[in-house]
Amino acid sequence: MNQTDAFHRRIDEALHNAQLRQNFRSALTGIMARRAEQFPDETQLQALRDQARAVRANALVRQPELLERLEAKLTENGIQVHWAEGPDEANAIIHGILERAGAKTVVKGKSMVSEETGLNHYLEHHGIEVIESDLGEYIIQLAEEPPSHIVAPAIHKNRREVAELFQRFHPEIPYTEDIDQLTQSARVVLRDRFANADAGISGVNFAVAETGTLCLVENEGNGRLSTTAPRVHVAITGIEKVVERLSDVPPLLEILTKSATGQPITTYFNMISRPRQPGELDGPEAVHLVLLDNGRSRIRVDDELLDTLRCIRCGACINHCPVYVQLGGHAYGTVYPGPIGIALEPQRIGIHKVGTLTSACTLCGACGEVCPVRIPLPKLINRLRAEAVDGLRAGTAVRGHGSMRKPAEAGVWLLWRWLYTAPSRYRLFTRLATRLRWMTPPWLGAWTRYRCAPRPAQRTLHELAREEGFRNE
Amino acid sequence: MSDSRERILARLRANRPIEVPTPTVYAKPLGWDREHCIASFMQRMQAVRGEVHRIARDAWVDWLAGELPARGIHHLLAGNGDVGDRLASALPASIRLSRYDHPIEQWKPALFNDIDAAITHARAGLAESGSIVLWPDANEPRLMSLAPPIHIALLDSHKLHENFAAMIAAEHWANGMPTNALLISGPSKTADIEQTLAYGIHGPKQLITLLLD
Ligand code: SF4
């Protein structure tokens, strides 16, 4: 099945799942309202967005130097830095670290980058037990599903579905649909895991070059536990997460938590700069950072598309997307769903593989308006649409450029251009179209499945205008 | 180092995008006085179910001696510094006081399962977001504010900063970071089921800040 048919089939499934749509609708309505409450002052919000955008944009400008500085500083601090071109290399590096440390069990904090590499699967295949410790991640790990949202991975499940999962995997705990009790059950179940895991794996929200500091944003405490209780900590992140100074962090943190979940700040902001030092009584003996490229450096080559890399993964664009709310995250079939997914994934994976995602957008502009770092998502999506069908071969960084071009579609536009660029041809065409309107076919494929076929008017607008006395129309 | 490193850096060096003008440095000067900071700190902390008690500088020992038994806390963990020393002689006999004085590997199960509450210092507080700031160290290790179900923090009310940006500027954090630094704003929580807030997931279920005047 080609990518478009496969996508349409997933869309069809999602649209016919009333429960799923209800779960998304109610969850997203709440998040949007909470975000809005955090920004009562429009001027302040816009100023903060400018600040966050500049911090991220300039970090990307100086990215090669900053990464080297980060590496030097982390190394000086005793944190070991590894570079990976793609998923396989990253997974192999992490597996190597765990193997050398004799680690058999791993607790994991939330990390979308590890979803990119399929890390859990890889490690399990190599005999290492991996437990997701974020509640949402734990739920979908039990369900054997990928995350449907980058901030709230189990957003597609309601309390009954979660209760049934817990019942199935932990029959010793009495069945309940009460959210507080379900949360307590998860605490009890995962506590032993934290206490006994050999290694912890986490993502990174910001990596500060100036001080060699890895910053993690979270509410549950699982991120802190994963990075504190085991004897080894491995962090994995994309190479775009580096920022220059520690003073760059407060504006990013503020706009991240407010945009993501409508919180002025999360419960924990965890800054890690070293492994356990002599005399210290806890914390991992070894800390590693894996810097993953996986297509990012190629995106950066294009001065327009590089804006994609400013993303701080807040999920606001996803929450406000009128298409996402109908489909949910799984329909996209990629690691990152919603507007940021549509912009990022075709660049990362290639238009020939997932370019069809760009059709799941109404260009309404909601995503671009809420993005805390002012990524012009609609513009990027439009650019990728053009890339997908462009006939010219040269001068672009996007893989699969032109791969969705269809001769018939291209022919129609060629004809359109031919008609519209010569007034005489244009007049003849509109005259024929109006006079021969009875010839319009009643069935126009998918368009007329739920709608009437459009039919030209009896007279052209130009004719009507002339009759009304307009000249030089 | 690895070839990957060289290849990635080479690709990054191939393009130098144009710099974006940076707006005025981020540090909203709020101009709050001490009382305003205290009020904001308490309000924000309470809004996320953090408990705050404003008490006289030397009253915290008595406060704990009275309050811990009333709350059914039997086993308290203190660090190696002065806090534990002062509590050792003041707590009622019904409360067992442990000190975090040996490496975690030697007593992990006990830390995770037997301790009711841990008490630490907070090095500072943030008024605007209602956060306490911790730099755990050999005296007060990292897991103290994380593993036990209750975390009690002693915060000098003169050490409140307006916000994170103001604090890292005033305290010159960029000159040297500790192994681990933390901003903690309330007890642990999650909204992963139906976006409904539930408290007490993996970290402490209660965060009690004693704000010392
Ligand atoms: S693109 Fe913008 S709104 Fe979307 S997740 Fe990234 S930072 Fe947030």
Side-chain angles (χ1 to χ4, degrees), chain A residues 6 22 46 79 118 122 127 164 222 231 252 255 323 361 420 431 467:
Chain A
Q22 176 55 37
Q46 299 311 334
I79 295 178
Y122 182 95
E164 280 164 10
N222 69 308
R231 55 195 160 82
L252 292 181
I255 204 159
V323 178
C361 172
Y420 275 63
R431 214 179 152 74
E467 265 168 36

Side-chain angles (χ1 to χ4, degrees), chain A residues 27 31 34 48 50-51 53-54 57-58 61-65 67-68 71 81 83-85 89 133-136 139 152 154 157-159 162 179-180 182-184 186-187 190-191 194-195 210-211 213 219-222 224-225 227-230 239 246-247 249-251 253-254 263-277 279-284 293 297-298 300-301 303 306, chain B residues 1-5 7-9 11-26 28 44 48 80 100-105 108-109 111-113 126 128-131 134 136-139 141-149 164-165 168 173-205:
Chain A
I31 302 185
R34 285 198 294 279
L48 188 57
D50 287 338
Q51 187 82 37
R53 164 176 179 260
N58 289 330
V61 170
R62 293 192 274 279
Q63 195 181 7
E65 297 96 280
L67 283 171
E68 284 179 296
E71 181 187 40
V81 181
W83 303 69
E85 285 265 27
E89 196 180 353
S133 60
D134 171 86
L135 178 56
I139 291 168
K157 296 230 176 284
N158 62 24
R159 67 185 81 191
V162 176
I179 290 178
D180 281 320
L182 285 168
T183 303
Q184 283 314 305
R187 178 184 174 97
L190 287 166
R191 222 166 153 69
F194 287 121
E210 177 181 44
T211 53
T213 301
N219 279 311
E220 296 188 4
N222 69 308
R224 282 186 66 198
L225 280 165
T227 58
T228 312
I239 52 170
L246 193 65
S247 60
V249 170
L253 174 64
E254 179 179 350
Q263 293 176 271
I265 192 167
T266 48
T267 303
Y268 300 113
F269 186 60
N270 183 6
M271 292 161 267
I272 298 166
S273 305
R274 279 183 193 78
R276 188 193 304 193
Q277 297 298 294
E280 290 178 352
L281 302 175
D282 60 16
D293 184 340
S297 60
R298 286 193 182 82
R300 188 174 167 282
V301 171
D303 284 334
L306 84 88
Chain B
M1 254 196 152
S2 70
D3 295 347
S4 301
R5 175 186 190 276
R7 277 197 300 270
I8 293 168
L9 285 172
R11 279 198 299 273
L12 294 177
R13 288 195 199 102
N15 183 30
R16 181 90 190 174
I18 303 156
E19 201 121 339
V20 173
T22 310
T24 45
V25 176
Y26 170 88
K28 285 179 286 175
R44 297 250 59 121
V48 288
N80 293 308
Y100 199 146
D101 52 9
H102 44 295
I104 179 62
E105 287 72 20
K108 224 182 215 179
L111 171 63
F112 274 84
N113 301 316
L126 305 180
E128 196 183 13
S129 55
S131 318
L134 265 59
D137 58 15
N139 273 339
R142 292 161 73 169
L143 285 168
M144 290 184 74
S145 61
L146 186 57
F164 188 22
I168 59 177
W173 278 35
N175 292 344
M177 292 288 281
T179 303
N180 183 219
L182 298 158
L183 310 185
I184 302 178
S185 313
S188 91
K189 60 182 183 297
T190 181
D192 274 346
I193 304 176
E194 291 189 10
Q195 292 300 297
T196 304
L197 206 51
Y199 283 88
I201 172 79
H202 300 305
K205 302 178 185 188

Side-chain angles (χ1 to χ4, degrees), chain A residues 137-146 156-157 165 168-169:
Chain A
E137 292 282 352
Y138 183 65
I139 291 168
I140 59 171
Q141 188 180 33
L142 293 183
E144 294 184 29
E145 289 171 12
H156 57 289
K157 296 230 176 284
L165 275 173
R168 182 137 57 90
F169 288 90

Side-chain angles (χ1 to χ4, degrees), chain A residues 280-292:
Chain A
E280 290 178 352
L281 302 175
D282 60 16
E285 307 273 0
V287 179
H288 298 261
L289 174 68
V290 179
L291 290 166
L292 175 70

